[in-house]
Amino acid sequence: MSEVLEQEAKASTGHASKYTRNNPYLSTVSVNYLLTGQGSEKETRHVELTLEEGMTYTPGDAVGIIPENRPEAVADVLKALGYRGDERVLDHYKVEISLEEALRTRLGIGKLARGSVGQYAKLVPELDGLKVLVGPENKARAEEYCWGREFVDLATDFPGVITEPQQLFNVLQRLTPRMYSIASSQKQHPDSVHTTVRVIRYDSHGRSRQGVASGHIGDRAGEGMKIPIFLHSNANFRLPEDTTAPVIMIGPGTGIAPFRAFLEERQATGQTGDNWLFFGEQREKMDFLYKDQLLGMVKEGVLKRLDTAFSRDQACKVYVQDRMQENAKELFEWLERGAYFYVCGDATRMAKDVETALLDVIARGSNGTLEHAAEYLAAMKKQKRYQRDVY
Ligand SMILES: Cc1cc2nc3c(=O)[nH]c(=O)nc-3n(C[C@H](O)[C@H](O)[C@H](O)COP(=O)(O)OP(=O)(O)OC[C@H]3O[C@@H](n4cnc5c(N)ncnc54)[C@H](O)[C@@H]3O)c2cc1C
Ligand SMILES: NC(=O)c1ccc[n+]([C@@H]2O[C@H](COP(=O)([O-])OP(=O)(O)OC[C@H]3O[C@@H](n4cnc5c(N)ncnc54)[C@H](OP(=O)(O)O)[C@@H]3O)[C@@H](O)[C@H]2O)c1
C-alpha cells in the first residue's frame, strides 16, 4: 500500500488497515442469533463477523456494513420500469454490470429521497401528478409523499418510460453503508467484531417493508454468509485513560452495544474503576439483551451496579432517566468522584431526556441552580467526561 493510501486508511479507522468503505473486507458472518425472545415487539440480533489478521478496533468504534437490496425489491423495481434486468449499465466507477446487479448492490432503492422524486420528474415530465411534488414550494408535500415510501412506489404511482437504464444513476442515490456500534472487546475476541442490530420491519402504503441493512442481516446474512465490512474509528467515545476512573453508562435498546464492549474490555484488562450500567427496554421477559452476560458481570464484580428500566412491564412507562432520578444522590457522588458519563442509543428523544435528568441530578446533588448544573456539565464535557454516541 502506498504511503498516502496508508494515511487515508489510518484516518478512517484509527489504525493501519487497508480496508475502507470503498475497499471493504469480505467478512464471514460467524454468529447471527435473535437476542429478543418470543412475543417481543422487537427483533434485535447479535451478530459476529470475522476479521482478517491486522484488522483492529477499540471499544467505542463502529463497524460499517455494506448491504444489498433484497432481490424481491429489485424485481419489483425492474417490473415497474419494464426492464428485464440483464440490460448493461456502468456503475459509479464506470465498471459495466447488469441493471439487476446495479439495483441490488449499487443504488438506494429503499427509503425514497425527495431528490429522487425531482430527478425522476425530469425524466418523465409529461406526468401531471408529479409536478405538485417538485420544486422548493412543494417541499412539505414531497416529504409527506416520501415518508414510508420507496422508489418502487414512485415508479408504480407515476409509471413513465425511462428510455435509458443508465439514467437511473441520476435518479437514485448511491447505496450507502450502515454503521453499527461495536459490541465486543478485541481483547476477548481477537478475530471477530460483534454488533447488536435491531431489524426494522414495517408495513406502509400497502407494502411490507424492511430496513435495507438490518433486513439483510435479519433475513439473508445467516451464519456462513459473506458480507463486506470496514472498521470506523470514533475517538470521541472512549473509555477513560485512567483505568481506575468510575464509568456510568446509559444504554437503552441497541444503545447497550458499545457498553458491552467497554465492560468486556475492562474485564479483560482487569481495570479497577467502578462500572454502573443503566439499561432499558420494553419488557424484561423478552427484551433484556445480554441478560446472562450482564448478570454474570454483576456477580463477578465487573459491574458494580446494574439498573434496568423495563418500560412496558407496568401501567406507567419507566425509562432509564427515571432510574437516574431515583438514584440521584449516589449518581452525583460518582460524578464527584470523577466518573465518566456515557450515553448511547436514540438521539431524538432519549438522549435529550437523559441530559435533562442529568442536569437535574447535578443541580439537586450540588444544591445548585440549573445554570450551575449546566456549567458543571460543560466542565465535564471539556474533561471528556460526558460522551455520547447517539443516532
Ligand atoms: C454511529 C452509529 C451507530 C449505530 N449503531 C447501531 C447499533 O448498534 N444497532 C442498530 O440497530 N443500529 C445502529 N445504528 C443505526 C444503523 O446504522 C441503521 O441506520 C439502521 O440499522 C437502519 O438501517 P437499515 O438499512 O436497516 O434501514 P433503512 O433502509 O436505512 O431504513 C430506515 C428508515 O426507514 C424508515 N422507517 C423505519 N421505520 C418506519 C416506519 N415504521 N414507517 C415508515 N418509515 C419507517 C425511516 O425513515 C428510517 O430512517 C447506528 C447508527 C450510527 C450512525
Ligand atoms: N435509523 C433507524 O432507522 C434505526 C434502526 C435501529 C435503531 N434505531 C434507533 O436506535 C435507537 C435504539 O432503538 P431500539 O429499538 O434498540 O431501542 P429504543 O427504541 O430506544 O427503545 C429502548 C427503550 O427505551 C425506551 N424509550 C422510549 N423513549 C424513551 C425516552 N424518551 N427516554 C428514555 N427511554 C425511552 C423504550 O420504551 P417504549 O418503547 O416503551 O417507549 C424502550 O424501553 C432508537 O433511536 C431507534 O430509533 C434507528
Side-chain angles (χ1 to χ4, degrees), residues 62 110-111 147-148 178-181 196-198 200 202 204 210-215 254 257 389 391:
K111 190 179 146 185
W147 177 248
R178 281 14 178 214
M179 306 307 296
Y180 294 92
S181 308
T196 314
V197 178
R198 191 187 102 200
I200 296 181
Y202 58 97
S204 63
Q210 56 177 243
V212 171
S214 62
T254 52
D389 181 16
Y391 44 88

Short mmCIF file of all heavy atoms in Angstrom, two decimals, residues 62 110-111 147-148 178-181 196-198 200 202 204 210-215 254 257 389 391, ligand 1:
data_model
loop_
_atom_site.label_atom_id
_atom_site.label_comp_id
_atom_site.label_asym_id
_atom_site.label_seq_id
_atom_site.Cartn_x
_atom_site.Cartn_y
_atom_site.Cartn_z
N ALA A 62 -17.10 1.83 15.52
CA ALA A 62 -18.27 1.25 14.85
C ALA A 62 -17.78 0.37 13.70
O ALA A 62 -16.62 0.48 13.26
CB ALA A 62 -19.17 2.36 14.32
N GLY A 110 -34.31 1.77 -1.38
CA GLY A 110 -35.11 1.78 -0.15
C GLY A 110 -35.68 3.18 0.03
O GLY A 110 -35.88 3.91 -0.95
N LYS A 111 -35.95 3.52 1.28
CA LYS A 111 -36.43 4.85 1.69
C LYS A 111 -36.29 5.93 0.61
O LYS A 111 -35.19 6.28 0.20
CB LYS A 111 -35.57 5.21 2.91
CG LYS A 111 -35.99 6.38 3.66
CD LYS A 111 -35.01 6.52 4.82
CE LYS A 111 -34.79 7.97 5.13
NZ LYS A 111 -33.77 8.17 6.16
N TRP A 147 -42.45 9.86 2.87
CA TRP A 147 -42.48 9.14 4.15
C TRP A 147 -43.11 7.77 3.99
O TRP A 147 -44.25 7.64 3.53
CB TRP A 147 -43.21 9.96 5.21
CG TRP A 147 -43.31 9.20 6.51
CD1 TRP A 147 -44.44 8.72 7.07
CD2 TRP A 147 -42.23 8.79 7.35
NE1 TRP A 147 -44.14 8.04 8.23
CE2 TRP A 147 -42.79 8.06 8.43
CE3 TRP A 147 -40.84 8.94 7.30
CZ2 TRP A 147 -42.02 7.51 9.44
CZ3 TRP A 147 -40.07 8.38 8.32
CH2 TRP A 147 -40.66 7.69 9.37
N GLY A 148 -42.34 6.74 4.35
CA GLY A 148 -42.87 5.36 4.29
C GLY A 148 -42.93 4.81 2.88
O GLY A 148 -43.52 3.76 2.66
N ARG A 178 -24.15 1.13 6.33
CA ARG A 178 -24.79 1.49 7.60
C ARG A 178 -23.78 1.21 8.71
O ARG A 178 -23.07 0.20 8.68
CB ARG A 178 -26.02 0.63 7.85
CG ARG A 178 -27.33 0.93 7.15
CD ARG A 178 -27.39 1.83 6.01
NE ARG A 178 -28.75 1.94 5.46
CZ ARG A 178 -29.04 2.12 4.19
NH1 ARG A 178 -28.06 2.20 3.29
NH2 ARG A 178 -30.28 2.23 3.79
N MET A 179 -23.79 2.10 9.71
CA MET A 179 -22.85 1.95 10.82
C MET A 179 -23.51 1.21 11.99
O MET A 179 -24.69 1.44 12.27
CB MET A 179 -22.40 3.33 11.33
CG MET A 179 -21.84 4.25 10.26
SD MET A 179 -20.51 3.53 9.30
CE MET A 179 -19.28 3.31 10.55
N TYR A 180 -22.75 0.39 12.65
CA TYR A 180 -23.23 -0.29 13.86
C TYR A 180 -22.16 -0.19 14.95
O TYR A 180 -20.98 -0.46 14.69
CB TYR A 180 -23.56 -1.77 13.56
CG TYR A 180 -24.75 -1.85 12.61
CD1 TYR A 180 -24.56 -1.90 11.23
CD2 TYR A 180 -26.05 -1.75 13.09
CE1 TYR A 180 -25.65 -1.87 10.35
CE2 TYR A 180 -27.15 -1.73 12.23
CZ TYR A 180 -26.93 -1.79 10.87
OH TYR A 180 -28.01 -1.75 10.02
N SER A 181 -22.58 0.22 16.16
CA SER A 181 -21.64 0.31 17.28
C SER A 181 -21.06 -1.08 17.54
O SER A 181 -21.80 -2.06 17.56
CB SER A 181 -22.35 0.76 18.55
OG SER A 181 -23.10 1.91 18.33
N THR A 196 -24.94 -5.40 17.61
CA THR A 196 -26.29 -5.63 18.13
C THR A 196 -27.22 -4.89 17.18
O THR A 196 -27.22 -3.66 17.16
CB THR A 196 -26.40 -5.03 19.54
OG1 THR A 196 -25.25 -5.41 20.30
CG2 THR A 196 -27.68 -5.49 20.24
N VAL A 197 -27.95 -5.63 16.37
CA VAL A 197 -28.69 -5.00 15.27
C VAL A 197 -30.20 -5.15 15.47
O VAL A 197 -30.70 -6.27 15.61
CB VAL A 197 -28.29 -5.63 13.92
CG1 VAL A 197 -29.09 -5.01 12.77
CG2 VAL A 197 -26.80 -5.46 13.68
N ARG A 198 -30.89 -4.01 15.48
CA ARG A 198 -32.36 -4.09 15.52
C ARG A 198 -32.87 -4.14 14.09
O ARG A 198 -32.59 -3.23 13.30
CB ARG A 198 -32.95 -2.89 16.24
CG ARG A 198 -34.44 -3.09 16.51
CD ARG A 198 -35.08 -1.87 17.05
NE ARG A 198 -35.84 -1.19 16.00
CZ ARG A 198 -36.20 0.07 16.04
NH1 ARG A 198 -35.85 0.84 17.03
NH2 ARG A 198 -36.90 0.59 15.06
N ILE A 200 -35.37 -3.64 11.24
CA ILE A 200 -36.52 -2.76 11.00
C ILE A 200 -37.48 -3.42 10.02
O ILE A 200 -37.08 -3.78 8.91
CB ILE A 200 -36.04 -1.41 10.42
CG1 ILE A 200 -35.16 -0.70 11.45
CG2 ILE A 200 -37.21 -0.55 9.98
CD1 ILE A 200 -34.66 0.63 11.00
N TYR A 202 -41.70 -2.94 8.78
CA TYR A 202 -42.96 -2.21 8.95
C TYR A 202 -43.80 -2.32 7.68
O TYR A 202 -43.28 -2.66 6.62
CB TYR A 202 -42.71 -0.73 9.32
CG TYR A 202 -41.88 0.02 8.30
CD1 TYR A 202 -42.48 0.82 7.32
CD2 TYR A 202 -40.49 -0.06 8.31
CE1 TYR A 202 -41.73 1.51 6.39
CE2 TYR A 202 -39.73 0.62 7.38
CZ TYR A 202 -40.35 1.40 6.42
OH TYR A 202 -39.59 2.07 5.50
N SER A 204 -46.32 -0.15 5.17
CA SER A 204 -46.80 1.19 4.85
C SER A 204 -47.27 1.23 3.39
O SER A 204 -46.70 0.54 2.54
CB SER A 204 -45.71 2.25 5.07
OG SER A 204 -44.63 2.03 4.22
N GLN A 210 -38.78 -3.42 4.85
CA GLN A 210 -37.74 -3.68 5.85
C GLN A 210 -36.57 -2.75 5.62
O GLN A 210 -36.38 -2.23 4.51
CB GLN A 210 -37.29 -5.13 5.82
CG GLN A 210 -36.82 -5.63 4.49
CD GLN A 210 -36.31 -7.06 4.54
OE1 GLN A 210 -35.15 -7.31 4.28
NE2 GLN A 210 -37.18 -8.01 4.84
N GLY A 211 -35.81 -2.48 6.69
CA GLY A 211 -34.59 -1.69 6.55
C GLY A 211 -33.64 -2.41 5.61
O GLY A 211 -33.56 -3.64 5.64
N VAL A 212 -32.92 -1.65 4.80
CA VAL A 212 -32.05 -2.29 3.81
C VAL A 212 -30.98 -3.16 4.49
O VAL A 212 -30.86 -4.36 4.22
CB VAL A 212 -31.40 -1.22 2.89
CG1 VAL A 212 -30.32 -1.84 2.01
CG2 VAL A 212 -32.46 -0.55 2.04
N ALA A 213 -30.21 -2.54 5.41
CA ALA A 213 -29.11 -3.29 6.03
C ALA A 213 -29.61 -4.23 7.12
O ALA A 213 -29.22 -5.40 7.16
CB ALA A 213 -28.08 -2.32 6.61
N SER A 214 -30.49 -3.72 7.98
CA SER A 214 -30.93 -4.58 9.09
C SER A 214 -31.77 -5.74 8.54
O SER A 214 -31.70 -6.86 9.06
CB SER A 214 -31.68 -3.77 10.15
OG SER A 214 -32.84 -3.20 9.61
N GLY A 215 -32.52 -5.50 7.48
CA GLY A 215 -33.30 -6.57 6.85
C GLY A 215 -32.36 -7.60 6.23
O GLY A 215 -32.59 -8.81 6.32
N THR A 254 -30.62 -0.88 21.57
CA THR A 254 -29.33 -1.22 20.96
C THR A 254 -28.20 -0.34 21.48
O THR A 254 -27.03 -0.59 21.18
CB THR A 254 -29.42 -1.09 19.42
OG1 THR A 254 -29.93 0.21 19.11
CG2 THR A 254 -30.31 -2.15 18.81
N ALA A 257 -24.92 -1.72 23.00
CA ALA A 257 -23.80 -2.32 22.25
C ALA A 257 -22.41 -1.85 22.70
O ALA A 257 -21.58 -2.67 23.10
CB ALA A 257 -24.02 -2.11 20.76
N ASP A 389 -22.87 8.74 21.97
CA ASP A 389 -22.82 8.10 20.66
C ASP A 389 -24.28 7.81 20.32
O ASP A 389 -24.81 6.76 20.65
CB ASP A 389 -22.02 6.80 20.76
CG ASP A 389 -21.90 6.10 19.42
OD1 ASP A 389 -22.15 6.74 18.38
OD2 ASP A 389 -21.58 4.89 19.40
N TYR A 391 -27.84 8.09 17.71
CA TYR A 391 -28.20 8.01 16.29
C TYR A 391 -29.69 7.95 16.12
O TYR A 391 -30.42 7.80 17.09
CB TYR A 391 -27.55 6.78 15.64
CG TYR A 391 -27.65 5.52 16.47
CD1 TYR A 391 -28.75 4.68 16.37
CD2 TYR A 391 -26.64 5.16 17.37
CE1 TYR A 391 -28.84 3.52 17.13
CE2 TYR A 391 -26.72 4.01 18.14
CZ TYR A 391 -27.83 3.20 18.02
OH TYR A 391 -27.93 2.06 18.77
C1 LIG B 1 -22.76 5.67 14.78
C2 LIG B 1 -23.98 4.81 14.60
C3 LIG B 1 -24.11 3.65 15.33
C4 LIG B 1 -25.24 2.86 15.17
N1 LIG B 1 -25.34 1.72 15.91
C5 LIG B 1 -26.40 0.92 15.75
C6 LIG B 1 -26.49 -0.28 16.50
O1 LIG B 1 -25.63 -0.61 17.33
N2 LIG B 1 -27.57 -1.06 16.28
C7 LIG B 1 -28.56 -0.72 15.39
O2 LIG B 1 -29.51 -1.50 15.22
N3 LIG B 1 -28.48 0.41 14.67
C8 LIG B 1 -27.42 1.22 14.82
N4 LIG B 1 -27.33 2.36 14.08
C9 LIG B 1 -28.38 2.61 13.05
C10 LIG B 1 -27.96 1.88 11.76
O3 LIG B 1 -26.81 2.50 11.20
C11 LIG B 1 -29.03 1.95 10.67
O4 LIG B 1 -29.40 3.27 10.48
C12 LIG B 1 -30.24 1.12 11.00
O5 LIG B 1 -29.91 -0.26 11.16
C13 LIG B 1 -31.27 1.24 9.87
O6 LIG B 1 -30.68 0.88 8.66
P1 LIG B 1 -31.45 0.00 7.59
O7 LIG B 1 -30.62 -0.02 6.37
O8 LIG B 1 -31.87 -1.30 8.17
O9 LIG B 1 -32.77 0.83 7.36
P2 LIG B 1 -33.03 1.87 6.18
O10 LIG B 1 -33.24 1.16 4.91
O11 LIG B 1 -31.98 2.91 6.22
O12 LIG B 1 -34.40 2.42 6.63
C14 LIG B 1 -34.53 3.11 7.84
C15 LIG B 1 -35.57 4.17 7.61
O13 LIG B 1 -36.82 3.54 7.40
C16 LIG B 1 -37.82 4.42 7.74
N5 LIG B 1 -38.72 3.76 8.69
C17 LIG B 1 -38.40 2.96 9.72
N6 LIG B 1 -39.49 2.55 10.35
C18 LIG B 1 -40.54 3.10 9.68
C19 LIG B 1 -41.94 3.05 9.83
N7 LIG B 1 -42.49 2.34 10.82
N8 LIG B 1 -42.72 3.75 8.96
C20 LIG B 1 -42.17 4.46 7.97
N9 LIG B 1 -40.84 4.54 7.76
C21 LIG B 1 -40.05 3.88 8.61
C22 LIG B 1 -37.19 5.59 8.45
O14 LIG B 1 -37.14 6.66 7.54
C23 LIG B 1 -35.81 5.09 8.78
O15 LIG B 1 -34.84 6.12 8.83
C24 LIG B 1 -26.24 3.20 14.25
C25 LIG B 1 -26.10 4.37 13.50
C26 LIG B 1 -24.99 5.16 13.67
C27 LIG B 1 -24.87 6.41 12.85
#
